[in-house]
Amino acid sequence: MNILIIYAHPSKKSYTFQVLERLKSAILKQNWNLEISDLYASNFESDMSEEEYEREGFAKLDLPIAEDVLAEHKKIENADCLIFLYPVWWSDCPAKLKGWFDRVYSVGYAYGQTESFPKMKTIPHGIAICTAGHPNHFLDEIGIAQSMEKIMLEDRLGKRFENKEMLILGGTLELEKVMENHFLQIEKIVSNLSN
Ligand SMILES: Cc1cc2nc3c(=O)[nH]c(=O)nc-3n(C[C@H](O)[C@H](O)[C@H](O)COP(=O)(O)O)c2cc1C
């Protein structure tokens, strides 16, 4: 299995980085191929340029697609599973990752497809994993868990993936209470992929 992790956190001192390390070792234990798009480390351009907007906004498929976006398309085409890993910032992913969707989900490729343009393949597995300061029960109570799941799973992953799952690793303000369980959930989500 070829796994692509789209990772969005700026700091190696973060808990999200520890989650990345756990995830990597669980994946490598399975002997799968792993590629990581580390959006902050690679300084991924998350702002859409005026020319890119013209292509997207007016569906001008003949306008060029930027090289960095084409490189992401290539990684996607090679993957059997995409895992998005990020911290929850203001009830959503960091702007860096939002910008990845804005630019990499280009028209003709990820939506607005036509016969004459190469379209994104349907990927067997799509997983979103986010860390959150609030505990899961609170995110459920205030409806934020459901809205994050709706946007991530139904819109951003959408019909582009056959099997979709979202894991909210909440309660990171009191890490000692949740960490062990989080790491178990990570192991489980990876081992479920092999079934
Ligand atoms: C700018 C910012 C916004 C945040 N917004 C939220 C939020 O809306 N909901 C939430 O549960 N936690 C929020 N948090 C807490 C992060 O989700 C938490 O820091 C993350 O789970 C784990 O931290 P780390 O990976 O940065 O160490 C926010 C943190 C930052 C820095």
Side-chain angles (χ1 to χ4, degrees), residues 7-11 13-19 86-92 130-136 138-139 142 144 148 168-173 175 182:
Y7 174 65
H9 198 296
S11 172
K13 292 179 190 158
S14 66
Y15 177 57
T16 309
F17 183 73
Q18 287 187 52
V19 171
Y86 56 92
V88 171
W89 286 355
W90 295 109
S91 305
D92 200 350
C130 60
T131 59
H134 290 308
N136 288 61
F138 181 71
L139 292 168
I142 61 175
I144 294 288
M148 293 196 301
I168 301 175
L169 302 174
T172 64
L173 296 174
L175 260 185
H182 286 178

Side-chain angles (χ1 to χ4, degrees), residues 46-76:
S46 50
D47 284 345
M48 184 175 281
S49 67
E50 189 175 0
E51 192 185 48
E52 282 177 321
Y53 169 72
E54 258 186 54
R55 192 182 180 282
E56 293 309 301
F58 304 107
K60 290 185 181 170
L61 301 191
D62 50 329
L63 286 180
I65 297 179
E67 285 299 322
D68 62 340
V69 170
L70 289 173
E72 293 300 296
H73 288 179
K74 204 167 161 199
K75 292 182 208 170
I76 292 171

Side-chain angles (χ1 to χ4, degrees), residues 84 92 98 101-102 105 110-111 120 146-161 164 166:
F84 297 90
D92 200 350
K98 171 63 168 54
F101 285 107
D102 291 344
Y105 271 17
Y111 70 100
M120 181 172 168
Q146 297 85 333
S147 65
M148 293 196 301
E149 280 162 3
K150 202 166 184 74
I151 288 170
M152 207 63 199
L153 295 179
E154 289 182 30
D155 185 37
R156 293 179 187 152
L157 271 60
K159 294 193 169 68
R160 301 167 190 92
F161 295 81
K164 300 176 288 184
M166 182 156 180

